[in-house]
Amino acid sequence: MSSNRHSAPSETNSKANSKKKVDISLFEFVALMATMTSLVALSIDSVLPALSQIGAYLKVTDPSQTHLIVSLFFVGMAFGQLYYGPLSDDRGRRYVIISGLIVFAIGSLICINAESLEVMLIGRVIQAFGVSGPRIATLAVIRDKYEGEAMARVMSFIMMVFILVPMLAPILGQTILFWFSWQHIFLSFLVYGTLIGLWFFARQPETLAKEKRLPFSWSQLWISSKFILSHKLVMFYTLSSGTIFGAFLAYISSSQTLFQDIYNTGELFPMYFAMLALSIGLASFINGNLVMRLGMRKLCNGAMLGWLIFSSVLTALCFAYDGVPPFWQFVSVLFCAFFCIGILFGNVKAMAMQPLGDMAGLGAAIIGSLSSIISVPAAIFVSSFIDASITPVALGFLGFGSVSFVFYWNANKP
């Protein structure tokens, strides 16, 4: 009797404490998920101002080879997502995040101590492999808690916060270079990853209950993968996302060349990069407020059309000015085009994930991996033509945007 009387309050307190942990506010949830996801953007964009210095330190003679420090990052992510996706559905989201952050730290240490381009690229691939764990788990956590337009709304608000990192990361990289060396940029990744890992485990409970987990087996992996890969909506939206992101990745990986070498912006490069990233953040904010009223498809229709129009304008300007349009015309058109990208990214991914509620981890892995497998070769192809002209970027925007539209149109075709 006495034992029972004492255990009842204990159980009540335990349930109350559990409820307190679960009731994370939407504001904190968005901030946490955005910060976790932004580790990818930080790992890419803060390195951009340092590419020339890294190339010089590693004795790289062809400047275009330094673009691989950005492009091959997505190769590591493609393989990492395929690994961590099934693991997320089997072991839970929290396990994947901690193991991914450890691998990410190992890759960062390799980059810090790199003495050749080959070792640097190995470190970057390992970095990317590790960071894909938190990225996949974050998408799965969001899908565990939300679906449909509600998920698209949350994704848009996350994108709005997340976009601050691409805006600030090049400035952070430039600031670190001013006071220290490029190695300290990779050291900052270790600090950032540790802090967000501690925040996540202190505040966000596991969202995948044990009874809902899918124990890993090759047969189950085959069945689930076959379902995802043969699902018309999932595949067409994924192909659409991958092709248009390939054009955008070509811009990111070559942005230092575009701004500093072609337009001679010097140390103002991070400021212009941030201004263009602001366009994506603004679009994500507007999308988050409109998607529940207008729906994902209607917003994507307008954004896809806008991307094609602004890509055509940029291409026409390139032909009119021998490949180098006036700087402010170039920036203005990119600002408008990237606004369309801000509408597309969150919505298209949400539409691709929508049919995959019971296999969100593997679904996010396959969607992310296929997008990377498509986008990386596209970006490397476009970047290889960039020398003293931005025409390859404009043609890449228009060409891959047109292919993306075809896939998107087929996904929505009855």
Side-chain angles (χ1 to χ4, degrees):
M1 292 284 292
S2 174
S3 173
N4 288 339
R5 279 197 301 267
H6 286 294
S7 66
S10 176
E11 287 179 24
T12 304
N13 290 337
S14 175
K15 288 178 181 177
N17 290 337
S18 174
K19 188 174 181 183
K20 276 185 182 179
K21 284 184 72 177
V22 172
D23 288 341
I24 181 172
S25 69
L26 177 62
F27 176 82
E28 185 180 358
F29 179 77
V30 168
L32 176 57
M33 294 297 103
T35 308
M36 183 74 69
T37 307
S38 68
L39 187 57
V40 175
L42 182 74
S43 303
I44 297 167
D45 297 332
S46 60
V47 175
L48 295 176
L51 289 180
S52 296
Q53 289 192 24
I54 295 173
Y57 181 87
L58 300 179
K59 298 179 176 61
V60 178
T61 55
D62 183 0
S64 66
Q65 288 186 330
T66 60
H67 296 171
L68 295 175
I69 295 173
V70 175
S71 299
L72 290 188
F73 190 88
F74 290 89
V75 173
M77 285 192 63
F79 289 102
Q81 288 173 111
L82 286 176
Y83 171 74
Y84 283 114
L87 191 66
S88 174
D89 288 336
D90 177 18
R91 302 293 294 272
R93 318 310 187 197
R94 291 161 67 90
Y95 177 87
V96 162
I97 286 175
I98 188 62
S99 61
L101 288 174
I102 291 171
V103 174
F104 174 77
I106 293 171
S108 299
L109 289 171
I110 292 174
C111 291
I112 290 171
N113 295 284
E115 296 291 335
S116 68
L117 179 63
E118 291 76 17
V119 174
M120 170 61 72
L121 295 179
I122 290 171
R124 289 290 280 173
V125 170
I126 293 174
Q127 255 195 330
F129 188 95
V131 81
S132 62
R135 184 176 188 276
I136 281 294
T138 298
L139 286 173
V141 166
I142 296 167
R143 181 60 186 86
D144 290 340
K145 294 171 70 71
Y146 302 96
E147 63 181 35
E149 265 74 24
M151 180 181 176
R153 179 172 178 261
V154 171
M155 288 282 285
S156 292
F157 287 134
I158 287 173
M159 180 68 75
M160 181 184 65
V161 180
F162 158 76
I163 209 62
L164 291 173
V165 175
M167 288 175 60
L168 299 176
I171 299 174
L172 172 66
Q174 191 81 57
T175 303
I176 291 174
L177 287 177
F178 182 78
W179 291 103
F180 304 103
S181 66
W182 63 263
Q183 286 92 341
H184 288 84
I185 294 176
F186 291 94
L187 182 61
S188 71
F189 299 160
L190 293 175
V191 176
Y192 188 84
T194 301
L195 292 176
I196 58 175
L198 291 173
W199 182 13
F200 180 87
F201 278 91
R203 298 293 297 157
Q204 177 59 55
E206 177 63 60
T207 57
L208 184 65
K210 288 186 177 180
E211 61 270 16
K212 291 187 176 181
R213 295 181 187 179
L214 301 174
F216 179 80
S217 70
W218 289 107
S219 59
Q220 184 59 48
L221 177 63
W222 168 252
I223 293 170
S224 299
S225 299
K226 186 177 178 182
F227 171 80
I228 295 169
L229 292 170
S230 61
H231 198 291
K232 174 190 167 184
L233 286 178
V234 174
M235 282 300 97
F236 276 129
Y237 284 135
T238 300
L239 292 170
S240 178
S241 176
T243 46
I244 204 165
F245 185 68
F248 185 66
L249 178 57
Y251 156 77
I252 294 176
S253 61
S254 60
S255 58
Q256 186 260 344
T257 299
L258 296 176
F259 284 98
Q260 292 188 323
D261 296 343
I262 296 178
Y263 282 109
N264 299 312
T265 59
E267 293 184 357
L268 291 176
F269 156 59
M271 302 299 295
Y272 292 120
F273 190 90
M275 182 180 66
L276 292 174
L278 176 63
S279 173
I280 301 177
L282 179 63
S284 298
F285 174 76
I286 292 173
N287 184 75
N289 284 282
L290 292 180
V291 70
M292 299 296 288
R293 281 189 289 156
L294 300 180
M296 293 180 283
R297 189 170 298 176
K298 185 176 290 187
L299 288 168
C300 282
N301 290 345
M304 188 67 73
L305 179 61
W307 174 265
L308 292 175
I309 290 172
F310 292 117
S311 298
S312 300
V313 171
L314 183 61
T315 303
L317 287 172
C318 286
F319 285 123
Y321 290 97
D322 295 324
V324 186
F327 180 70
W328 284 109
Q329 291 185 25
F330 167 65
V331 170
S332 298
V333 174
L334 282 189
F335 190 92
C336 296
F338 291 170
F339 183 90
C340 299
I341 280 283
I343 298 291
L344 290 170
F345 276 171
N347 287 331
V348 174
K349 281 186 179 180
M351 288 190 289
M353 288 286 292
Q354 194 165 350
L356 307 177
D358 293 334
M359 52 185 75
L362 181 60
I366 291 179
I367 290 169
S369 295
L370 277 179
S371 294
S372 297
I373 289 169
I374 295 166
S375 63
V376 171
I380 292 175
F381 175 75
V382 173
S383 296
S384 67
F385 291 98
I386 297 173
D387 185 14
S389 165
I390 66 165
T391 302
V393 174
L395 291 175
F397 281 6
L398 183 58
F400 288 111
S402 300
V403 174
S404 177
F405 174 77
V406 171
F407 288 130
Y408 176 80
W409 181 77
N410 275 281
N412 292 312
K413 190 170 65 174

